[in-house]
Amino acid sequence: MRILVLANTPAHVHLYRHAVDRLAAAGHDVLVLTREYACTTDLLDFFDMPYRVYGSHGTDEFSKVQFARELGGQFCTIGTEAVRFDPDVIFGRGPYAAYAGTLTRTPVVLVLDDEPGDFNHTVSKPFADCILSPAVTRRNLGDDHYTFDGFKECAYLHPEVFEPRGDVREYLDVDPDEPYVLVRFNALDALHDAGLEGFRPEQRRDLIERLSEAATVFVSDEGGELNLRELPARPYDLHPALIHDAMAEASLLVADTGTMATEAALLGTPAFRYRGTDDHEYGEFRELERAGLAEQFDDYEPVRDRSLEVLGDEDASDRWQQRRREYVGDLVNLTDLLVDVARSRGTIDRLDGSTKRVLQPRSQSL
């Protein structure tokens, strides 16, 4: 079989990387089409995934304007590469996957989550042969929409899949018993982030200064706007492929971005998300809050104070790890599901009984 994957962000690379490895090891021909965006191609190189680049998308205003101008050319490149590869099934999301599937007359599998906005879903839904999403997703995308008990991050953070490195503290240059915090500031440059505001500059500085009184602070600043030389923090500068290992060892993650907070929660690390001006209700976060693995805050002072409270609680790490063992282990191993769906060419009726049992038709679950 020939499987084409559209992976446009670092999160997409993680979503598919184990499935790509397993399918390739089984003798299938797999190709990833991607764009130069953040660390996406760095991850593809690190995990030795077969890929071709169809374009780029930066985070500054000039790059966004340039991206709009080049969009037609990117679709042309995607079409050319897709036709040349001649896939049997396509995985992705949004208009890119829909276009590739339409052009090659190939079944399209969309793997979605509860992101805000309807643009990607509206554009791609009519062209999808199979739509997969977590059961906590609140949308109903029609008869071809199936849900599973878990999160898209279960493709790489499920206990059956994730194996932490034992040397990440050495790379970070922290002692074995030294508490450290990961702070993530979002660039808020994605389509669904338009108009949103996370931590303000003065809040970023205050948060770092207060957290540094209780732990070593590592900052991952997606927008690259923060000058850490004047703050008691260190840049998180490990290879991006090691971020989940760093999360697993951290005492706390504080972020104004969704994906990393979800990832930390699934690893059993206290995960606090500052919503800022984002009033979208994510089904994933509601579920993680219910499980006691993540917390969300509408205002700045509560997230800062709660972070300091947890850092001062010697039993917090053990409680979160126990909650992870009780909750995450029972979720669906999404990599297993993606591999089975690929082998079925996106046709649910072709799946064996055990795989079908983990899927629920969305129209029947509402």
Side-chain angles (χ1 to χ4, degrees):
M1 283 183 57
R2 303 172 70 81
I3 299 106
L4 181 65
V5 176
L6 278 296
N8 296 321
T9 70
H12 297 167
V13 175
H14 288 299
L15 170 62
Y16 292 111
R17 63 185 177 91
H18 291 292
V20 167
D21 284 348
R22 285 177 51 181
L23 289 164
H28 301 293
D29 195 359
V30 186
L31 175 65
V32 177
L33 288 183
T34 190
R35 63 187 178 189
E36 294 284 358
Y37 171 70
C39 61
T40 303
T41 54
D42 292 333
L43 290 173
L44 289 164
D45 287 329
F46 185 91
F47 295 120
D48 196 25
M49 296 170 67
Y51 73 92
R52 294 176 190 156
V53 176
Y54 66 79
S56 64
H57 178 48
T59 59
D60 56 42
E61 289 303 317
F62 174 77
S63 296
K64 293 176 184 178
V65 172
Q66 187 178 30
F67 168 72
R69 291 174 178 170
E70 296 177 352
L71 189 59
Q74 293 189 10
F75 271 100
C76 182
T77 302
I78 289 172
T80 299
E81 294 289 354
V83 170
R84 180 182 298 148
F85 185 65
D86 190 24
D88 296 297
V89 63
I90 296 173
F91 283 82
R93 62 188 297 154
Y96 296 118
Y99 171 68
T102 301
L103 195 63
T104 59
R105 299 184 179 181
T106 302
V108 174
V109 179
L110 305 179
V111 184
L112 308 177
D113 55 11
D114 212 7
E115 73 169 20
D118 294 315
F119 175 76
N120 279 337
H121 307 312
T122 300
V123 170
S124 55
K125 172 186 168 183
F127 306 95
D129 296 85
C130 176
I131 302 173
L132 303 177
S133 76
V136 294
T137 301
R138 294 159 302 154
R139 292 181 175 86
N140 179 3
L141 298 176
D143 293 339
D144 297 315
H145 183 187
Y146 296 84
T147 65
F148 57 91
D149 188 14
F151 303 79
K152 63 179 177 60
E153 292 80 6
C154 287
Y156 52 98
L157 296 180
H158 192 280
E160 296 175 358
V161 177
F162 179 71
E163 296 182 6
R165 299 172 60 104
D167 56 359
V168 71
R169 283 183 172 271
E170 296 177 25
Y171 284 107
L172 289 170
D173 192 24
V174 294
D175 294 335
D177 58 350
E178 181 178 350
Y180 68 85
V181 180
L182 288 175
V183 178
R184 171 68 165 180
F185 297 131
N186 198 347
L188 296 172
D189 64 319
L191 179 64
H192 56 259
D193 292 327
L196 296 183
E197 180 182 274
F199 289 109
R200 298 196 301 273
E202 66 274 14
Q203 293 171 340
R204 294 182 176 195
R205 291 191 294 270
D206 181 65
L207 178 67
I208 291 170
E209 290 172 351
R210 296 295 300 276
L211 292 178
S212 69
E213 298 171 3
T216 300
V217 179
F218 290 94
V219 175
S220 172
D221 180 19
E222 188 179 31
E225 301 174 352
L226 192 64
N227 183 2
L228 293 179
R229 288 176 294 184
E230 301 175 355
L231 292 169
R234 295 158 59 182
Y236 176 82
D237 56 5
L238 299 189
H239 192 284
L242 303 181
I243 186 60
H244 303 118
D245 302 279
M247 282 186 197
E249 283 285 321
S251 299
L252 172 69
L253 177 128
V254 184
D256 54 9
T257 179
T259 297
M260 286 185 67
T262 300
E263 291 171 333
L266 292 173
L267 288 167
T269 296
F272 296 162
R273 175 177 178 261
Y274 174 52
R275 293 162 57 100
T277 59
D278 185 2
D279 60 0
H280 180 78
E281 291 294 335
Y282 298 86
E284 289 89 345
F285 276 109
R286 288 192 304 180
E287 179 63 12
L288 289 169
E289 286 184 299
R290 186 196 64 78
L293 291 168
E295 298 178 23
Q296 293 190 97
F297 301 84
D298 294 325
D299 299 305
Y300 167 67
E301 285 78 10
V303 68
R304 178 197 63 195
D305 296 344
R306 177 64 173 141
S307 298
L308 294 171
E309 178 185 352
V310 165
L311 288 176
D313 183 351
E314 295 181 355
D315 299 323
S317 179
D318 290 339
R319 287 201 310 275
W320 255 265
Q321 285 298 320
Q322 179 62 29
R323 292 168 187 168
R324 179 187 188 243
R325 287 191 292 270
E326 294 174 351
Y327 177 71
V328 182
D330 291 332
L331 299 178
V332 169
N333 180 337
L334 182 55
T335 287
D336 286 346
L337 179 58
L338 293 176
V339 169
D340 289 346
V341 171
R343 288 171 173 161
S344 76
R345 305 190 183 199
T347 303
I348 299 301
D349 290 341
R350 293 179 181 172
L351 295 172
D352 63 33
S354 61
T355 303
K356 282 183 180 179
R357 282 192 289 273
V358 306
L359 293 174
Q360 177 68 33
R362 185 58 170 169
S363 59
Q364 297 180 17
S365 60
L366 293 177

